[in-house]
Structure formats: C-alpha cells, structure tokens
Amino acid sequence: MTRFGYTLMTEQAGPKDLVRYAVSAEEVGFDFEVCSDHYFPWLSAQGHAPYAWSVLGAVAHATERVELMTYVTCPTIRYHPAIVAQKAATLQILADGRFTLGLGSGENLNEHVVGARWPTVVRRHEMLREAIQIIRELHTGELVDWKGEHFEVDSARIWDLPDVPVPIAAAVSGGRSIDQFAPLADHLIAVEPNKDLVDKWHDARRATGLPGDVRVIGQIPICWDPDRDAAIERAHDQFRWFAGGWAVNSDLPTTAGFDGATQFVRPEDTAESIPCGPDLDAIVESVRTYWEAGFTDIALVQVGGDSQDEFFSKAAAPLLDKLRSAAH
C-alpha cells in the first residue's frame, strides 16, 4: 500500500512552527514526515533555514507514530560522515526506531558555507559512497580507523547505539548513481516519477543478491489554497526554483543565484509544474504519476509557511482520503 508523507520544509518555516506542523501532520493522518537539511533557503522569499537535526530531535519527542526521515542530508562537506553517523544514531534512539537516514550528494547552496571547493558530480558521488561506508562501519559500534580517498576517521566509536539499526536511503538520479548506491543503501530516494529508474534500482539490488523490493521514496510540491490565483502567486514567489531541474539546482551557490536563474519563470509556468488551488482531484492526479512509477512512499510539500495551518484544518484529511482511495 502506498504511504503518504508530509514535508517539514525548513526553508519556509522556523523551528517552533516546524515542530507544531509535525504534530498536526501526525494528528491528521500522514504516515511519515521528511525534513529538509539546508543552510540556506532556495529563495530569499522563503525566509528560513533552521538546523534540521535540532528540529528532528524535538519532533521525535513531540510525535509518537509517524516515521521520520532526512530528505536529504549531505554527509560529505558541511558534515563529516563520522558526525552524521553519531547524530543519526542519537536521533534513532530519540525516535524509538522511527528514523531513516536519507542521504544525497548535496547542493552547492548549502555546502559552500564551509569554504570548500564544490566538486564535480562524479566526485560528489564518490564522496557519498565512501561516506555511506564509514557510517555503516560506525553503526556497528566498533572502533573505526579509516583512511580513504576523501575522508579520514581516527579511532572513532559510536557509544550510544539504537536497538533498531538506522536504515539508509540514498538519492539517485541515473544509472551511474544506481550502480554505486543500490548495493550500499536500504532504500531509494528519487525526485522524479521515473519508472525506468525505479526498475533499474530493483534490478541492481537483485543482481547483488539483496532484496529487490524496498521502499522508493519521492516528494512532490503542491500549493493548496481556497483561491487558485493566490496559490499560483505563492508558488511562483517561493517555489519557482523548482523549474530549474537538478542539474541547475545542485550547482548554484546562493539565493541571489536562484533568483537570477528564475527571473523569467512566469506564474503560469509554475502552475504547470505544481498543482495549485483548491482542486484536490487535480492534486491526486499529479501525485498519481509517482505510485504508477513504483514509488511506495510519497511526501507532499505544501508550499508556503503561512499556509500550513489552513491546509491541515481544511484540506489535509480529505486529500489523504482521496489519495489512499485512488492508490489502493
């Protein structure tokens, strides 16, 4: 059965509001919650970027049922993989086994802040592969010494290990990243409803003797509002960066860069890629492409920090009913 999640979008809300939204999402019936891990918002209009791991620690205590996940953390530049291993283990304890560590190769927007050179995509994937290996080693609880091509670990050990091991989900975008991460990760993260990508992931895992049918986790922005014009205006103001595609979005270093790159994106262009307005059936049809492509878990992003309370009170429950009925 397809599961539907809610996105704690750190780029568009402050930490206390995010915790409050997490509780509301659980109460209204979402199955899981994913949290972005950014140092910058995509656009200045979004206006926020609290530390995701502090937010998730608070959410773990404020909720009881929903599964939690980073979507996604880059464990290679802004964070050393040994630190990611420690905080993932701690969060799994706080969440009583409800946490999944979602990992990706990152965006220049968030990683440039530590003054490191932004690598090519091939090098970023190599770094992510090594980081996952280090995290796996540390999650055994053994003392780890590591000297690899990109990272060193000197006599490190995770002292507080959860009873439930931390599953790892890896974000992939094509055949090369599938070959690298399918044997290492437990689950797949992808940002487009690409059935060929999903099938190749399953095939790659089976070829190595691993279980083929694992979670496939996607995400889709929506902009529900009683007023369609208001929804389109808000989506354009805060989410027009979404039209750039990952090849662009991963390389731009600043919000000013995203603003410049999207200056010619029109409101009607945004409305073509993001379902906007009060029509729940239109949202369902947009989400449908994901479960038809083989996604097991689909997280919704409700665009606009100030729109969340009205979304929960008026739209979330009936939308979930429609989604589950259509996906059944």
Side-chain angles (χ1 to χ4, degrees):
M1 182 177 293
T2 308
R3 305 190 325 148
F4 297 99
Y6 172 78
T7 299
L8 299 167
M9 193 77 177
T10 59
E11 299 93 309
Q12 66 179 18
K16 288 187 175 181
D17 281 336
L18 288 165
V19 176
R20 186 165 58 84
Y21 299 154
V23 172
S24 296
E26 180 175 69
E27 290 175 345
V28 84
F30 281 97
D31 300 306
F32 66 100
E33 299 177 9
V34 304
C35 184
S36 55
D37 186 354
H38 275 225
Y39 203 93
F40 269 71
W42 296 100
L43 294 167
S44 296
Q46 292 178 313
H48 294 276
Y51 185 52
W53 292 85
S54 297
V55 171
L56 281 168
V59 168
H61 264 237
T63 59
E64 297 178 354
R65 175 189 54 82
V66 286
E67 294 186 19
L68 305 174
M69 181 179 181
T70 49
Y71 200 99
V72 292
T73 288
C74 176
T76 59
I77 299 176
R78 181 168 43 117
Y79 305 136
H80 190 282
I83 304 305
V84 175
Q86 182 191 33
K87 57 190 177 181
T90 298
L91 187 54
Q92 185 70 303
I93 294 171
L94 292 172
D96 295 321
R98 293 181 284 136
F99 176 64
T100 295
L101 178 59
L103 298 175
S105 56
E107 305 93 18
N108 196 5
L109 179 70
N110 302 300
E111 307 307 315
H112 80 273
V113 297
V114 296
R117 181 179 63 87
W118 184 235
T120 64
V121 65
V122 172
R123 181 60 60 89
R124 297 200 302 268
H125 284 167
E126 291 173 355
M127 294 170 72
L128 178 57
R129 178 182 177 85
E130 187 173 329
I132 293 175
Q133 293 171 322
I134 290 169
I135 292 167
R136 292 288 199 198
E137 288 289 325
L138 285 166
H139 281 178
T140 66
E142 299 296 323
L143 193 68
V144 174
D145 283 285
W146 182 283
K147 186 174 178 61
E149 182 179 353
H150 303 287
F151 303 105
E152 292 188 26
V153 179
D154 187 1
S155 302
R157 176 184 171 188
I158 304 300
W159 289 87
D160 288 279
L161 286 173
D163 293 332
V164 177
V166 179
I168 292 177
V172 303
S173 57
R176 178 181 293 169
S177 53
I178 287 174
D179 291 341
Q180 286 188 303
F181 302 122
L184 289 177
D186 301 297
H187 307 297
L188 165 65
I189 293 171
V191 296
E192 295 180 357
N194 185 331
K195 186 177 188 303
D196 184 58
L197 189 76
V198 174
D199 290 343
K200 286 180 178 178
W201 174 273
H202 292 322
D203 290 343
R205 286 182 60 83
R206 292 190 189 100
T208 60
L210 295 168
D213 297 324
V214 295
R215 292 171 64 188
V216 179
I217 306 150
Q219 185 184 61
I220 180 172
I222 66 170
C223 195
W224 178 89
D225 195 283
D227 183 330
R228 186 170 188 271
D229 290 338
I232 293 173
E233 182 180 353
R234 186 170 72 242
H236 178 257
D237 180 52
Q238 297 196 20
F239 246 77
R240 65 185 182 274
W241 61 270
F242 188 71
W246 209 247
V248 174
N249 293 347
S250 63
D251 282 335
L252 292 176
T254 64
T255 53
F258 277 92
D259 189 59
T262 59
Q263 62 182 312
F264 298 116
V265 177
R266 304 168 301 172
E268 54 265 38
D269 299 326
T270 307
E272 287 182 3
S273 59
I274 298 174
C276 296
D279 189 346
L280 299 184
D281 291 326
I283 295 174
V284 170
E285 288 310 302
S286 294
V287 179
R288 180 187 298 276
T289 57
Y290 281 82
W291 70 70
E292 289 183 344
F295 283 72
T296 61
D297 299 69
I298 307 164
L300 308 182
V301 182
Q302 165 64 5
V303 174
D306 294 338
S307 72
Q308 305 301 309
D309 289 326
E310 188 175 24
F311 171 70
F312 286 128
S313 64
K314 296 181 179 179
L319 175 58
L320 283 170
D321 287 343
K322 284 179 175 290
L323 286 167
R324 287 170 178 144
S325 176
H328 184 65

